[in-house]
C-alpha cells in the first residue's frame, strides 16, 4: 500500500504497540496528495525538570516549554537522562532572555522558538544544529551578529526576519536550503 493507506497502517500498528505496551503514544502523519511525507512520534506525557518542560521523542527529548525568567539561559544537554534533540515551537517566544546557549545535542530549532525575544543579543549554537525552522528568531530586535553552526543544512523562511539590527550572519558551507 502507498500514500494514505500506508499512513493508516503505520499509525494503526503503532497504536496497537502502544496499547499492548501500556505506553502513551502520540503519532502525527502528514499526507500530501495521498503520499505520506512525514511521521512524528511522541512517547509519554510531558515532564518537567527545573524550568524546562519536555517530552520524549524517538532519539531523545523535545523541549516543549520554559517556565523560568532567566536573562542568561543555558539549555541543558539532557533532560530526564536523555539528550535534548529539539526545541519545539514558541518555547522561548517573547521572553526577556538576553543570551542563550544551545547545546551540541540539539538538532532542530522549531517554528518561532525565539520569536519576539526583543532583548536577545547573543545566541551560541551547538555544533550539531541541522535545521532552523521558519520564524525561529523573527523579531529579535537586539541581535547584531550570528555565527551559525557548521553542521547546519537548512534555514527556513523568515528565520531571522525583522531582526532589524542584524548586521552580520555567518552561513556555513553545508547549508543547502535558505527559505
Amino acid at each position: 500500500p502507498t500514500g494514505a493507506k500506508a499512513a493508516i497502517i503505520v499509525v494503526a500498528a503503532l497504536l496497537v504497540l502502544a496499547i499492548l505496551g501500556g505506553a502513551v503514544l502520540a503519532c502525527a502523519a502528514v499526507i500530501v496528495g495521498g503520499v505520506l511525507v512525514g511521521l512524528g512520534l511522541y512517547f509519554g506525557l510531558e515532564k518537567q525538570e527545573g524550568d524546562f518542560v519536555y517530552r520524549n521523542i524517538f532519539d531523545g527529548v523535545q523541549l516543549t516549554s520554559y517556565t523560568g525568567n532567566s536573562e542568561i539561559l543555558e539549555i541543558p544537554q539532557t533532560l530526564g537522562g536523555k539528550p535534548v534533540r529539539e526545541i519545539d515551537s514558541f518555547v522561548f517566544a517573547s521572553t526577556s532572555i538576553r543570551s542563550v546557549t544551545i547545546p551540541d545535542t540539539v538538532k532542530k530549532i522549531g517554528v518561532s522558538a525565539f520569536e519576539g525575544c526583543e532583548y536577545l543579543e547573543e545566541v551560541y549554537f551547538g555544533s550539531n544544529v541541522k535545521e532552523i525552522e521558519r520564524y525561529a528568531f523573527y523579531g529579535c530586535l537586539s541581535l547584531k551578529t550570528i555565527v551559525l553552526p557548521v553542521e547546519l543544512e537548512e534555514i527556513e523562511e523568515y528565520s531571522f526576519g525583522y531582526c532589524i539590527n542584524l548586521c552580520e550572519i555567518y552561513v556555513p558551507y553545508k547549508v543547502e536550503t535558505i527559505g
Side-chain angles (χ1 to χ4, degrees):
T2 60
K5 289 180 183 176
I8 291 169
I9 291 170
V10 168
V11 171
L14 290 170
L15 290 175
V16 167
L17 288 172
I19 291 168
L20 292 176
V24 177
L25 172 75
C27 179
V30 179
I31 302 167
V32 176
V35 177
L36 177 66
V37 295
L39 186 64
L41 299 174
Y42 303 99
F43 303 95
L45 302 173
E46 288 189 336
K47 300 171 188 170
Q48 185 162 353
E49 189 173 306
D51 292 332
F52 300 97
V53 179
Y54 65 96
R55 66 176 155 224
N56 292 327
I57 58 174
F58 179 69
D59 63 344
V61 299
Q62 178 185 58
L63 186 56
T64 58
S65 93
Y66 175 68
T67 60
N69 58 5
S70 179
E71 289 184 0
I72 299 172
L73 181 65
E74 187 166 329
I75 297 170
Q77 290 190 26
T78 62
L79 289 169
K82 296 180 181 177
V84 176
R85 296 292 189 208
E86 299 178 6
I87 300 171
D88 200 9
S89 302
F90 301 100
V91 173
F92 301 102
S94 300
T95 58
S96 58
I97 58 174
R98 293 186 179 277
S99 173
V100 62
T101 301
I102 299 167
D104 289 338
T105 56
V106 172
K107 295 179 180 180
K108 181 168 90 171
I109 299 172
V111 174
S112 300
F114 295 91
E115 181 178 345
C117 291
E118 59 185 84
Y119 305 108
L120 183 59
E121 298 172 3
E122 300 172 324
V123 179
Y124 300 101
F125 290 96
S127 60
N128 294 312
V129 174
K130 293 188 181 304
E131 180 181 1
I132 299 176
E133 291 190 329
R134 64 192 179 281
Y135 297 98
F137 294 92
Y138 186 89
C140 293
L141 305 177
S142 299
L143 280 178
K144 293 185 177 122
T145 302
I146 288 287
V147 178
L148 295 170
V150 294
E151 295 298 319
L152 187 65
E153 296 172 358
E154 183 174 3
I155 304 169
E156 291 187 3
E157 61 271 6
Y158 300 105
S159 291
F160 295 95
Y162 200 63
C163 293
I164 59 175
N165 291 305
L166 185 58
C167 298
E168 295 179 279
I169 186 163
Y170 297 94
V171 180
Y173 70 93
K174 282 190 173 184
V175 172
E176 298 171 3
T177 305
I178 298 178

